[in-house]
Amino acid sequence: VGKTVVSLLLMQRLYAKEYTPFYLKPFQTGCADPYDAQSDAAFVYGNTVALYQKDPSQSVIYCYPNPKAPYFAARDAGETIHMEAVLQAVEEKRSTHSPVIVEAAGGLLVPLTEQQTVINLLPQINCRPLLVARAGLGTINHTLLSIEAMKNRDLEPLGVIFVQSTGCADDPGLVKENMEAVEAFSGIRVGGVIPAVSNFSAPPDSVYQPLNKILFQDCK
């Protein structure tokens, strides 16, 4: 969908605005370790100048090789995910960084433990959820269902960001209609579309505009 790309852009923009952000990926699956080529943390650290000399393992709490929901990936590895460790890590990072960007694993109803999904974690860490969605066909249904799930749990999304997939040229008219529908039917602000990025280390300023529209009007 593009959650890691959005997380990267947030980190870059926050550093540019002289904040002290921290990127946290509590549950990473589908890679051998935080340094793996498939590691989201390695991607963020490798494309954020302020993080070039820092250790991406500091941003990952649980990491498993099987590319599946964290609960099942942990079970395959013979391990158990303890939510207390995640909550403690978030609070520790908040004591030294502001803000903390927490990237979820998959969608809102992806199992993290035998009893909890991603959406159960959100109120526990007292976060402001930013929903990331595909830009193209099918996104209206998926995005509105995710927003409805959050509202049913008294969670108000901060906004929605659409992401254009690399190598996928969605019809601009369709994408515009998708954004219009999501905003009209949910009442949640849509920041816009982040286009495909060729140079993640130095994206053009225009790439950040959807984030600016939603987030930075409230900053400082």
Side-chain angles (χ1 to χ4, degrees):
V1 171
K3 296 189 304 300
T4 308
V5 169
V6 172
S7 296
L8 169 65
L9 296 176
L10 280 170
M11 291 294 290
Q12 291 173 338
R13 184 53 89 196
L14 287 163
Y15 273 120
K17 288 181 174 288
E18 299 183 348
Y19 285 81
T20 56
F22 190 87
Y23 169 74
L24 190 62
K25 176 79 175 186
F27 315 97
Q28 173 72 71
T29 65
C31 66
D33 55 53
Y35 310 100
D36 190 283
Q38 301 302 314
S39 164
D40 294 335
F43 171 77
V44 171
Y45 277 60
N47 289 288
T48 304
V49 173
L51 299 178
Y52 281 174
Q53 302 301 318
K54 297 187 178 181
D55 184 359
S57 71
Q58 298 300 308
S59 288
V60 181
I61 303 172
Y62 293 102
C63 186
Y64 302 109
N66 284 349
K68 53 177 67 174
Y71 167 61
F72 295 108
R75 191 171 70 177
D76 289 348
E79 297 185 12
T80 300
I81 288 174
H82 299 283
M83 297 303 291
E84 296 80 4
V86 177
L87 303 183
Q88 181 179 347
V90 172
E91 288 308 309
E92 286 178 352
K93 299 308 179 186
R94 277 184 176 150
S95 69
T96 54
H97 297 78
S98 179
V100 177
I101 306 300
V102 182
E103 182 188 348
L108 291 170
L109 297 183
V110 167
L112 300 177
T113 70
E114 190 172 7
Q115 297 179 324
Q116 297 194 60
T117 62
V118 168
I119 201 168
N120 300 126
L121 175 64
L122 304 185
Q124 295 182 66
I125 61 174
N126 191 29
C127 72
R128 302 178 69 187
L130 177 63
L131 190 63
V132 180
R134 291 187 178 91
L137 187 66
T139 199
I140 294 175
N141 183 64
H142 294 167
T143 306
L144 290 177
L145 282 173
S146 293
I147 293 172
E148 184 171 304
M150 283 192 276
K151 287 186 173 182
N152 285 341
R153 292 165 173 79
D154 296 321
L155 298 168
E156 185 74 8
L158 186 61
V160 179
I161 297 291
F162 283 89
V163 177
Q164 188 81 52
S165 300
T166 302
C168 179
D170 293 310
D171 176 69
L174 172 67
V175 174
K176 183 178 179 181
E177 290 169 350
N178 288 343
M179 292 191 293
E180 177 186 346
V182 168
E183 197 163 76
F185 283 96
S186 69
I188 301 299
R189 176 181 292 184
V190 176
V193 182
I194 292 175
V197 178
S198 58
N199 182 355
F200 287 107
S201 294
D205 286 342
S206 59
V207 171
Y208 300 101
Q209 291 311 305
L211 296 174
N212 292 340
K213 182 178 177 181
I214 288 181
L215 298 173
F216 297 108
Q217 61 182 1
D218 298 326
C219 291
K220 288 187 176 178

